[in-house]
Amino acid sequence: MHSDTFDSHAMAIYPELLEVRHDLFDNPESSGKEERTARVVANYLKKLGLEVKTNIGGHGVVGVLKGAKPGKTVMWRADMDAATFRMGAHGHQGLSHICGHDFNTTIALGIANTLSQDVDNLAGTVVFLFQPAEESQQGAKAMIADGLFEMLAVDEVYASHIGPSATGVISTKTGNLFSHSRYLEIELNGTDAAESIASDVHKIMNGLTRVSSPKLFFDLNNAMSLTHGLANPNTIYQDYVFFAGPPQVSTNNSRTVLFAELYTANKGDIDATVSGLKKQLDRREYRDRVHAVRVSHVRQGVDNDARLVDQAKQLLLARFGDQVLETYYGQVPFASEDFGHFQTRVPGVYFFIGASNAGKGIVSFPHMPNFNVDEKVIRLGVTRFSTLLYSRLKTD
């Protein structure tokens, strides 16, 4: 099949894919509770005739599409869970696909539908992996621990996520695509002067912060700026260390715990920053009260394979032109991904596909309060990524 044929099919199934997306959006499920979503996905794949495996690493679903001709195996991963977020003046929790996972899942189902129409000419196998618990960063590890790669011999793995670029524009880069992040907890004996200690720790954190142009950096609208953003070779988002706000304070049982999130562009800066924090604490008058400094919630991030990135970019340029491809030069701040756990086992590439439409006032920056998506991205994503996977099966 040719990309024009893929596009024709994507247009034909667009109405049914819209229904799927609206259904997922209306029925969001949080990390680890994606039972209904998994059922919708599994039923759709079964109707296409795929071999379907369920309950992998929780509510994970795998659909296997075997071509009539021999070849390698490529995997396409989509995340299914919704995100919890604070809303309203009192900070009540809500649940929504404010990250766009409903679109990620729908596009993957559309790719499965498209490629399943040409099984006779398909060389090799395409594995469609629908992952639970991405928001909690537990799903990828759970699926791997449940024997994913023992039951499937995979040669390459790919994924896409809704991003803030114009609708249909595909963005990626070699190597790390996201910030590295860790949770930090500083536990102190006693509860006296908790707020003043927290204020002092905040000063220490500010002293360890390293960002270019702070006013611009922390306004995430600048992530897409032509002069400062991720797609500019001189982006301000390629060398940074920062904490996500002042430490949160909690007291319990004669203990004080200060909590903060650390983000770095380069992985090596994590240990250096934590070491610097500990050295500063050792110099404070309250140093004898410091019971422990704990680092947790290790996020694997993304490490895109250089060869596969180059080959994917060449293919997309040849088939769709340079207007659909964008290279990132920095690491997305305030965000991470557990897709990298798959990449520790199999080389792969993670993409963003833009869904912003300036003419309609749609800005598709995940987790932002005004997050919205141009639904046309479904058809474009199905066409472009079907073309990519179909071509990868024929490429050594």
Side-chain angles (χ1 to χ4, degrees):
M1 294 177 74
H2 189 272
S3 56
D4 291 342
T5 307
F6 289 149
D7 192 45
S8 296
H9 185 73
M11 290 183 67
I13 64 174
Y14 182 56
E16 76 172 62
L17 293 178
L18 276 180
E19 290 184 10
V20 171
R21 183 264 154 172
H22 293 162
D23 178 66
L24 297 177
F25 180 82
D26 290 339
N27 296 279
E29 294 176 302
S30 59
S31 293
K33 299 180 179 180
E34 309 89 343
E35 183 176 357
R36 182 186 183 279
T37 304
R39 188 167 61 249
V40 170
V41 167
N43 288 340
Y44 191 97
L45 296 174
K46 288 175 182 177
K47 289 178 181 178
L48 295 177
L50 274 65
E51 176 188 341
V52 177
K53 305 175 189 295
T54 58
N55 300 317
I56 303 173
H59 295 298
V61 179
V62 169
V64 181
L65 177 62
K66 295 181 179 178
K69 301 177 181 180
K72 63 185 177 184
T73 299
V74 298
M75 178 183 285
W76 185 267
R77 173 270 206 170
D79 34 17
M80 301 187 296
D81 53 335
T84 55
F85 65 100
R86 298 287 179 182
M87 61 182 183
H90 300 289
H92 297 304
Q93 278 199 337
L95 182 66
S96 173
H97 278 292
I98 197 171
C99 199
H101 291 185
D102 52 339
F103 280 94
N104 300 343
T105 296
T106 301
I107 289 171
L109 292 174
I111 299 169
N113 188 319
T114 301
L115 294 182
S116 69
Q117 308 304 308
D118 197 29
V119 173
D120 291 342
N121 291 313
L122 204 63
T125 301
V126 185
V127 175
F128 294 94
L129 184 152
F130 295 85
Q131 181 200 311
E134 189 283 322
E135 293 289 347
S136 66
Q137 300 281 301
Q138 299 301 312
K141 290 187 292 186
M143 294 191 80
I144 293 171
D146 214 4
L148 175 69
F149 290 110
E150 283 69 41
M151 70 177 73
L152 296 164
V154 178
D155 298 297
E156 300 169 7
V157 59
Y158 297 90
S160 173
H161 197 291
I162 293 298
S165 298
T167 304
V169 173
I170 296 170
S171 310
T172 192
K173 69 183 288 287
T174 293
N176 184 37
L177 187 58
F178 289 91
S179 56
H180 296 276
S181 67
R182 299 290 187 272
Y183 287 174
L184 295 182
E185 287 185 347
I186 303 171
E187 185 177 351
L188 302 108
N189 297 316
T191 60
D192 295 343
E195 293 297 336
S196 64
I197 292 175
S199 177
D200 185 62
V201 169
H202 189 207
K203 293 178 182 178
I204 295 174
M205 291 177 174
N206 285 338
L208 295 169
T209 295
R210 184 178 75 242
V211 298
S212 299
S213 306
K215 186 176 181 180
L216 296 172
F217 184 96
F218 290 109
D219 180 355
L220 285 183
N221 291 317
N222 287 309
M224 300 312 298
S225 162
L226 294 177
T227 54
H228 309 294
L230 293 162
N232 188 304
N234 298 314
T235 178
I236 60 176
Y237 297 102
Q238 60 185 336
D239 180 24
Y240 55 78
V241 174
F242 68 90
F243 295 86
Q248 300 173 29
V249 183
S250 64
T251 57
N252 187 31
N253 296 328
S254 299
R255 291 282 174 90
T256 298
V257 176
L258 308 181
F259 171 84
E261 293 180 66
L262 169 66
Y263 292 89
T264 71
N266 303 300
K267 192 172 184 179
D269 282 328
I270 293 173
D271 290 342
T273 304
V274 173
S275 176
L277 174 65
K278 290 178 177 178
K279 287 180 180 178
Q280 290 295 322
L281 291 173
D282 283 342
R283 297 170 183 168
R284 282 348 199 226
E285 60 183 18
Y286 52 83
R287 59 184 175 274
D288 291 337
R289 289 180 57 185
V290 177
H291 177 73
V293 177
R294 290 186 288 268
V295 180
S296 62
H297 206 56
V298 176
R299 299 191 176 196
Q300 185 63 36
V302 167
D303 188 13
N304 285 339
D305 183 84
R307 180 180 65 88
L308 295 185
V309 168
D310 287 343
Q311 291 179 350
K313 290 168 78 172
Q314 290 174 20
L315 171 72
L316 293 169
L317 284 169
R319 296 293 177 88
F320 302 106
D322 58 6
Q323 73 276 7
V324 307
L325 189 64
E326 180 178 63
T327 297
Y328 279 176
Y329 296 92
Q331 289 75 35
V332 180
F334 289 105
S336 189
E337 245 284 355
D338 68 353
F339 178 73
H341 289 290
F342 299 123
Q343 291 176 310
T344 64
R345 305 290 293 269
V346 179
V349 182
Y350 187 100
F351 303 95
F352 286 106
I353 183 164
S356 295
N357 188 320
K360 295 181 180 180
I362 294 174
V363 179
S364 56
F365 207 122
H367 288 280
M368 296 289 278
N370 62 339
F371 175 73
N372 200 357
V373 177
D374 181 357
E375 292 185 318
K376 188 171 68 173
V377 72
I378 295 173
R379 178 177 64 82
L380 296 176
V382 169
T383 298
R384 290 167 186 176
F385 293 129
S386 294
T387 302
L388 174 67
L389 293 183
Y390 190 80
S391 299
R392 289 307 309 162
L393 290 174
K394 297 181 177 182
T395 305
D396 294 331

